[in-house]
């Protein structure tokens, strides 16, 4: 059963049997039904023909009798009163001539009631008292309905059919012609040989008396009763050991019924024989086809067995002790194991390369200037090699909170990875090289290298990248790009500035690609520090989840606007709203907001705009401490860990920075991380930095202080004390011990 070819053979054979046998059964049943209909139709046609033939012969006999009346010699005998011997002789001769021409007439009588004489075809002319058939003479003397109708009669010990023909059928007469028909000869002529026990043909009169056919009183009685009860031309009759199918036909001239009966097994014998042959041939065909299936499956699939046995010997399985596993499962498990090994190897190589790339780019981004190792790697191993100038672009995902609710954490990682790949691919079609970096949170960074400082083509490529991301991934992004700079520039400052530049969407509305010139234009109209409205305390209240306090502070600030001229209060509201909302750009509340300018135009009065702004502030404050589902909490913690891992090099990394990135209050971030991880976020950050240090101590030749700097430690004293606390070793001792162990 474990052999694939044998399992395939069983499956195909089972399918074949389950499909062929019902078809054969249906075919047999339809054939039986059709055959029975044909047999019954043929039987009915035969009994109808028999009835028609019987009526024709009986009518011929009646006409024959009437023609005897028309003979002159017979008429002379009927009406002769002189008892002339010549007339008597002529009547006898005429009667004999008629008898010789019709073999069915066994005997005939010419009866003259007026003179009391009978001309008997066998005895000659006799008087009534000497006439041998007195029962017939008695019947003739009384007018009966049997005139011109055949009836059963017994003469000289033999049964026959009798026909009485009076000279005047409508009233009693003195002259009669009686014809006695040979019943066996008539039966033979009409019915043929009906002595078979499987077929029966008989004719019964209106009283159920047998006229022609085999003499079986029990069957005649059953036929007569069934015919009267069912009033149909086709019916069935059951006897103790027989079952008959009966077809009937009426003889209108005699009021007789012809019964054509066939014994049941006679009709079904050939049908059963055909069914048995059909089943036999079907089984033979199934046997032949099954043998072909077995040969074909064994010939085609035996190699699978050889392959599975080879895999058993070459690949170690956890469940190799089980003998019940089929060949195909062995192959499937073996291929899966091989593919997993290849995938792990490929992933390991790819991840190693990706980790190194991410490590150096993140160090450069967070430290501002690349170290010696980072600079060498970037100039030799990345797409930025040999580039003269650099640009930095930030791709920020719009309504990041809604984006997080729509996709789970792994899906978000994949989508951000796809955004990076699409952007690198689109920008790579021009004369640019791009290296993408996911910094965690709601945005990605593109470091773009070029040999010239022109921005027109780069802006067109960024617009195309934005369009393709929206079309393929259905993700809306806001893009900002810096002016050209060289490798010596502090890229951390550029990064912070360009991320700030993406917030201009709150001001500009539909515009999706922002340049540094847009920011300069924006800042040119910014109010002086003494005139600007204060947003710091309002933002703090929102982050702490205190909507009442935030609304109160907002109203205090709005009082200053009422005292300003229209142009000044509109300018102050624009920058005040921008400073307030840009800190909560991830919130889904701001998703439908087009631009601050349009909002100010939409609300006709300051009180209307203030009411809208108070509603936004209340909602934002509520979101910072909104309860999350268990799954969403775990996803937030996973994203926090990812953000921390990508910012370990940043010496300024703090809980406040993490909370700001996720638009939650500091207290909520602390509580959530403690609830899920059973440790504080600050402990986790320190632990991860120590693990990163331990890894670099073993895998790199960097000095201890360089490693501490790359892992985000601000001071040498803090680094050494923290490392000793976690490992009970100094960094130098740890490096020496683990390098010896690795050897």
């Amino acid at each position: 059963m474990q052999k694939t070819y044998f399992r395939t053979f069983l499956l195909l054979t089972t399918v074949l049997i389950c499909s062929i046998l019902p078809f054969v059964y249906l075919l047999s049943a339809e054939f039986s039904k059709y055959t029975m209909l044909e047999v019954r139709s043929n039987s009915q046609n035969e009994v109808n023909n028999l009835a028609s033939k019987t009526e024709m012969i009986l009518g011929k006999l009646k006409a024959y009798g009437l023609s005897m009346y028309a003979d002159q010699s017979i008429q002379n005998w009927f009406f002769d009163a002189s008892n002339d011997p010549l007339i008597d002789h002529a009547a006898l001769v005429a009667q004999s001539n008629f008898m010789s021409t019709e073999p069915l007439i066994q005997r005939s009588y010419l009866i003259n009631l007026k003179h009391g004489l009978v001309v008997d075809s066998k005895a000659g002319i006799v008087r009534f008292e000497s006439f041998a058939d007195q029962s017939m003479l008695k019947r003739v003397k009384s007018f009966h309905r049997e005139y011109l109708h055949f009836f059963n009669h017994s003469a000289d010990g033999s049964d026959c059919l009798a026909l009485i023909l009076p000279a005047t059928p409508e009233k009693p007469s003195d002259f009669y012609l009686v014809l006695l028909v040979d019943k066996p000869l008539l039966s033979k002529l009409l019915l043929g040989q009906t002595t078979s026990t499987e077929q029966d043909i008989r004719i019964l009169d209106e009283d159920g008396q047998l006229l022609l056919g085999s003499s079986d009183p029990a069957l005649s009685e059953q036929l007569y009763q069934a015919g009267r009860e069912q009033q149909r031309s086709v019916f069935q009759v059951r006897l103790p050991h027989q079952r008959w199918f009966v077809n009937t036909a009426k003889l209108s001239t005699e009021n007789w019924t012809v019964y054509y009966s066939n014994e049941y097994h006679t009709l079904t014998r050939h049908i059963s024989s055909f069914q048995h042959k059909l089943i036999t041939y079907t089984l033979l065909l199934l046997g032949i086809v099954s043998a072909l299936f077995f040969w074909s499956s064994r010939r085609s699939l035996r190699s699978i067995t050889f392959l599975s046995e080879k895999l058993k010997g070459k690949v170690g399985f956890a469940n190799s002790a089980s003998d019940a596993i089929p060949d195909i499962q062995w192959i499937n498990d073996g291929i899966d194991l091989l593919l997993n090994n290849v995938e792990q190897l490929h992933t390991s190589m790819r991840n190693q390369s990706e980790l190194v790339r991410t490590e150096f780019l993140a160090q450069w981004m967070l430290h501002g200037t690349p170290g010696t190792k980072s600079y060498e790697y970037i100039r030799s191993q990345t797409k930025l090699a040999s580039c003269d100038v650099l640009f930095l672009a930030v791709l920020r995902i719009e309504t990041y909170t809604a984006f997080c609710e729509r996709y789970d954490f792994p899906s978000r990682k994949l989508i951000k990875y796809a955004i990076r790949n699409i952007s690198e691919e689109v920008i790579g079609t021009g004369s640019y090289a791009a290296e993408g970096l996911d910094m965690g949170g709601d945005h990605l960074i593109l470091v773009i290298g070029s040999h010239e400082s022109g921005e027109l083509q780069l802006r067109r490529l960024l617009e195309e990248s934005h369009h393709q991301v929206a079309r393929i991934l259905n993700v809306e992004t806001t893009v900002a790009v810096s002016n050209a700079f060289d490798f010596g520039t502090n890229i951390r400052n550029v990064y912070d500035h360009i991320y700030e530049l993406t917030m201009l969407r709150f001001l500009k509305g539909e515009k999706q690609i922002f340049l540094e010139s847009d920011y300069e234009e924006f800042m040119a109209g910014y109010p002086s520090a003494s005139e600007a409205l204060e947003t710091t305390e309002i933002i703090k209240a929102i982050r702490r989840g205190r909507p009442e306090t935030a609304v109160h502070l907002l109203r205090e600030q709005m009082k200053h606007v009422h005292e300003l001229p229209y142009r000044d209060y509109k300018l102050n509201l624009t920058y005040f709203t921008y400073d307030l909302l840009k800190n909560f750009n991830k919130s889904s509340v701001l998703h439908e907001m087009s631009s601050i300018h349009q909002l100010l135009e939409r609300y006709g009065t300051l009180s209307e705009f203030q009411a809208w702004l108070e509603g936004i502030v209340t909602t934002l404050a509520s979101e910072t401490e909104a309860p999350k589902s268990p799954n969403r909490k775990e996803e937030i913690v996973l994203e926090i860990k990812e953000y921390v891992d990508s910012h370990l090099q940043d010496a300024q990394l703090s809980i406040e920075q993490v909370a700001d990135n996720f638009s939650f209050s500091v207290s909520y971030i602390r509580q959530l991380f403690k609830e899920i991880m059973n440790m504080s976020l600050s402990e986790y950050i320190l632990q991860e930095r120590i693990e990163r240090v331990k890894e670099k101590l073993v895998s790199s030749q960097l000095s201890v202080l360089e490693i501490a700097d790359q892992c985000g430690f601000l001071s040498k004293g803090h680094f050494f004390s923290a490392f000793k606390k976690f490992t009970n070793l100094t960094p130098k001792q740890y490096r020496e011990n683990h390098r010896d162990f690795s050897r």
Side-chain angles (χ1 to χ4, degrees):
M1 287 296 292
Q2 284 75 45
K3 305 300 182 184
T4 300
Y5 66 85
F6 189 70
R7 292 162 63 89
T8 304
F9 158 71
L10 288 180
L11 176 62
L12 292 177
T13 303
T14 302
V15 171
L16 181 65
I17 291 174
C18 292
S19 58
I20 290 295
L21 289 184
F23 173 75
V24 171
Y25 175 78
L26 179 62
L27 180 65
S28 175
E30 289 297 317
F31 171 77
S32 300
K33 180 180 177 181
Y34 173 78
T35 304
M36 288 299 296
L37 290 175
E38 286 295 313
V39 169
R40 293 181 182 182
S41 177
N42 292 336
S43 298
Q44 189 62 46
N45 291 336
E46 189 169 347
V47 74
N48 290 338
N49 292 335
L50 180 59
S52 178
K53 182 179 179 182
T54 302
E55 287 190 324
M56 182 188 69
I57 292 176
L58 295 180
K60 179 182 176 184
L61 290 174
K62 291 178 182 180
Y64 194 78
L66 294 175
S67 67
M68 289 179 68
Y69 264 121
D71 187 90
Q72 190 62 48
S73 297
I74 293 177
Q75 287 187 8
N76 290 337
W77 182 81
F78 277 133
F79 296 103
D80 179 41
S82 61
N83 294 324
D84 186 351
L86 292 176
I87 294 176
D88 293 342
H89 177 73
L92 281 170
V93 171
Q95 185 185 39
S96 298
N97 289 337
F98 276 104
M99 291 288 293
S100 64
T101 59
E102 182 52 70
L104 288 176
I105 300 177
Q106 178 182 347
R107 196 172 183 177
S108 65
Y109 306 137
L110 296 175
I111 302 175
N112 191 331
L113 295 179
K114 186 176 182 180
H115 296 100
L117 295 175
V118 176
V119 179
D120 187 348
S121 62
K122 288 187 178 181
I125 300 174
V126 296
R127 300 195 67 81
F128 280 178
E129 59 268 16
S130 301
F131 184 45
D133 196 350
Q134 290 295 318
S135 60
M136 180 59 73
L137 185 60
K138 183 179 179 181
R139 183 184 288 267
V140 168
K141 287 180 179 180
S142 58
F143 186 81
H144 288 284
R145 61 184 178 86
E146 286 88 356
Y147 292 163
L148 294 179
H149 290 279
F150 290 89
F151 57 90
N152 279 328
H153 184 67
S154 179
D156 295 335
S158 62
D159 291 331
C160 60
L161 287 178
L163 176 66
I164 301 176
L165 297 157
T168 56
E170 299 300 327
K171 62 182 179 178
S173 174
D174 292 333
F175 311 112
Y176 292 91
L177 169 63
V178 177
L179 300 179
L180 301 181
V181 179
D182 189 344
K183 185 185 287 189
L185 184 58
L186 180 60
S187 294
K188 185 176 181 181
L189 177 63
L190 292 174
L191 311 181
Q193 299 294 334
T194 59
T195 59
S196 172
T197 59
E198 299 175 347
Q199 188 180 60
D200 182 88
I201 305 175
R202 63 184 65 203
I203 301 175
L204 304 180
D205 62 13
E206 66 273 19
D207 298 323
Q209 297 297 317
L210 178 67
L211 297 172
L212 295 173
S214 57
S215 57
D216 183 355
L219 181 56
S220 295
E221 179 66 23
Q222 290 288 334
L223 292 174
Y224 178 70
Q225 293 296 333
R228 290 186 60 186
E229 293 173 0
Q230 301 191 30
Q231 297 293 319
R232 293 186 299 173
S233 61
V234 180
F235 53 86
Q236 296 185 35
V237 171
R238 293 180 182 271
L239 295 179
H241 302 290
Q242 287 180 309
R243 179 182 175 191
W244 296 88
F245 283 94
V246 183
N247 296 78
T248 65
K250 292 286 187 180
L251 276 67
S252 57
T253 58
E254 296 296 329
N255 200 19
W256 295 353
T257 304
V258 181
Y259 294 88
Y260 188 90
S261 307
N262 289 285
E263 214 279 324
Y264 176 76
H265 81 272
T266 303
L267 300 179
T268 59
R269 180 172 60 238
H270 297 295
I271 298 174
S272 299
S273 176
F274 172 79
Q275 290 176 329
H276 293 156
K277 289 180 180 179
L278 183 63
I279 292 174
T280 301
Y281 293 149
T282 301
L283 293 176
L284 180 61
L285 177 64
L286 287 175
I288 294 173
V289 174
S290 298
L292 290 175
F293 279 166
F294 181 78
W295 174 79
S296 178
S297 62
R298 190 173 186 274
R299 181 173 177 269
S300 304
L301 303 176
R302 198 175 182 185
S303 57
I304 294 179
T305 301
F306 294 151
L307 179 59
S308 69
E309 292 175 351
K310 195 169 184 179
L311 282 172
K312 290 178 191 178
K314 296 293 184 180
V315 181
F317 293 98
N319 56 354
S320 59
S322 176
D323 295 328
I325 300 177
D327 291 337
I328 196 68
Q329 188 63 44
W330 283 113
I331 295 174
N332 185 62
D333 292 345
I335 292 176
D336 283 345
L337 185 59
L338 291 175
L339 289 176
N340 287 337
N341 291 340
V342 172
E343 182 65 24
Q344 289 174 5
L345 179 61
H346 177 69
T347 302
S348 177
M349 295 174 62
R350 183 182 61 199
N351 289 345
Q352 186 68 22
S353 174
E354 179 68 16
L355 285 173
V356 172
R357 186 194 78 92
T358 302
E359 173 75 16
F360 283 115
L361 287 177
Q363 285 182 18
W364 181 26
M365 199 62 55
L366 295 174
H367 285 275
T369 55
T372 304
K373 293 288 183 180
S374 298
Y375 184 79
E376 291 176 357
Y377 178 84
I378 292 169
R379 296 293 280 180
S380 61
Q381 301 297 326
T382 68
K383 300 174 186 177
L384 305 176
S386 73
C387 290
D388 298 327
V389 295
L390 300 176
F391 300 87
L392 189 139
V394 174
L395 286 72
R396 184 171 59 81
I397 299 172
E398 293 293 337
T399 60
Y400 190 67
T401 302
F403 176 75
C404 293
E405 291 175 353
R406 185 188 311 168
Y407 302 105
D408 58 12
F409 181 73
S411 300
R412 295 199 297 273
K413 290 284 290 181
L414 288 175
I415 292 174
K416 291 164 80 174
Y417 183 75
I419 293 174
R420 190 192 98 185
N421 284 343
I422 291 172
S423 302
E424 290 179 353
E425 186 71 22
V426 172
I427 292 173
T429 58
S431 58
Y432 297 92
E435 287 286 348
L437 184 63
D438 181 8
M439 295 301 292
D442 65 340
H443 65 283
L444 297 94
I445 293 174
L446 287 176
V447 182
I448 304 169
S450 178
H451 296 287
E452 55 187 21
S453 59
E455 297 178 353
L456 291 178
Q457 184 186 12
L458 178 59
R459 181 170 183 174
R460 181 183 60 80
L461 292 174
L462 287 172
E463 289 175 349
E464 176 64 18
S465 171
H466 168 265
H467 171 71
Q468 294 298 336
V469 168
R471 182 182 66 85
I472 298 173
L473 302 177
N474 195 27
V475 175
E476 288 295 333
T477 57
T478 298
V479 182
V481 62
S482 70
N483 296 329
F485 60 91
D486 56 30
F487 278 91
T489 304
N490 189 318
I491 200 170
R492 175 63 183 269
N493 296 333
V494 178
Y495 165 41
D496 293 338
H497 173 61
I498 299 304
Y499 181 77
E500 172 82 10
L501 188 58
T502 61
M503 304 304 171
L504 287 181
R505 190 196 72 82
F506 292 107
L507 196 69
K508 300 290 186 178
E510 295 299 323
K511 187 176 180 181
Q512 299 292 338
I513 307 296
F514 295 101
L515 307 176
E516 288 197 53
S517 58
D518 296 319
Y519 190 77
E520 293 169 0
E521 178 184 348
F522 166 70
M523 292 303 296
Y526 203 89
S528 62
S530 60
E531 296 176 350
L533 300 179
E534 180 61 44
T535 61
T536 305
E537 295 301 321
I538 300 175
I539 293 171
K540 288 181 180 179
I542 292 174
R543 293 204 184 283
R544 290 169 184 167
R546 298 174 181 174
E548 296 84 0
T549 304
V551 170
H552 174 73
L553 293 172
L554 173 65
R555 290 173 179 172
E556 291 296 322
Q557 292 297 317
M558 294 297 289
K559 289 178 181 179
H560 301 295
V561 178
H562 288 278
E563 303 169 356
L564 299 175
Y566 173 77
R567 184 179 177 280
D568 293 338
Y569 98 72
K570 188 173 181 180
L571 180 66
N572 276 268
L573 278 181
T574 300
Y575 287 97
F576 172 72
T577 306
Y578 169 76
D579 288 341
L580 183 64
L581 297 185
K582 74 177 182 179
N583 291 276
F584 304 97
N585 61 83
K586 302 177 183 65
S587 175
S588 58
V589 178
L590 308 178
H591 176 56
E592 301 296 332
M593 195 186 84
S594 54
S595 74
I596 297 174
H597 292 310
Q598 292 180 6
L599 283 171
L600 289 171
E601 294 296 330
R602 183 194 308 171
Y603 296 104
T605 64
L606 182 60
S607 59
E608 291 178 354
F609 183 78
Q610 180 178 336
W612 173 84
L613 198 56
E614 288 178 5
I616 292 294
V617 167
T618 301
T619 305
L620 291 174
S622 301
E623 276 190 352
T624 59
E625 54 183 12
K628 307 292 179 180
S629 66
N631 290 340
R632 180 69 183 118
K633 287 181 178 180
E634 293 177 359
E635 287 187 358
I636 293 173
V637 170
L638 283 174
E639 199 156 355
I640 291 173
K641 291 169 65 177
E642 180 197 23
Y643 182 84
V644 168
D645 291 345
S646 62
H647 287 76
L648 285 176
Q649 302 93 334
D650 186 4
Q652 304 300 323
L653 179 63
S654 64
I655 300 177
E656 288 74 14
Q657 181 180 339
V658 173
D660 182 61
N661 181 75
F662 290 96
S663 295
F664 290 122
S665 65
V666 173
S667 60
Y668 179 76
I669 288 291
R670 282 177 175 154
Q671 175 188 351
L672 176 63
F673 199 88
K674 183 74 172 180
E675 176 185 342
I676 301 299
M677 297 298 296
N678 291 322
M679 66 167 57
S680 67
L681 181 55
S682 58
E683 289 175 347
Y684 176 79
I685 294 173
L686 182 57
Q687 175 182 294
E688 290 300 304
R689 279 176 168 158
I690 295 297
E691 292 298 324
R692 184 76 61 86
V693 168
K694 288 161 65 176
E695 178 184 341
K696 288 181 175 292
L697 286 172
V698 176
S699 62
S700 72
Q701 298 295 329
L702 296 173
S703 68
V704 172
L705 293 181
E706 285 178 323
I707 292 174
D709 182 57
Q710 289 184 5
C711 293
F713 285 96
L714 279 173
S715 66
K716 184 168 98 171
H718 177 243
F719 166 64
F720 279 102
S721 62
F723 192 87
K724 185 71 179 281
K725 178 181 178 182
F726 272 86
T727 64
N728 291 322
L729 296 171
T730 64
K732 183 177 180 181
Q733 290 172 335
Y734 183 88
R735 169 177 274 177
E736 291 174 352
N737 291 348
H738 285 77
R739 280 188 173 175
D740 292 339
F741 181 75
S742 63
R743 293 194 188 97

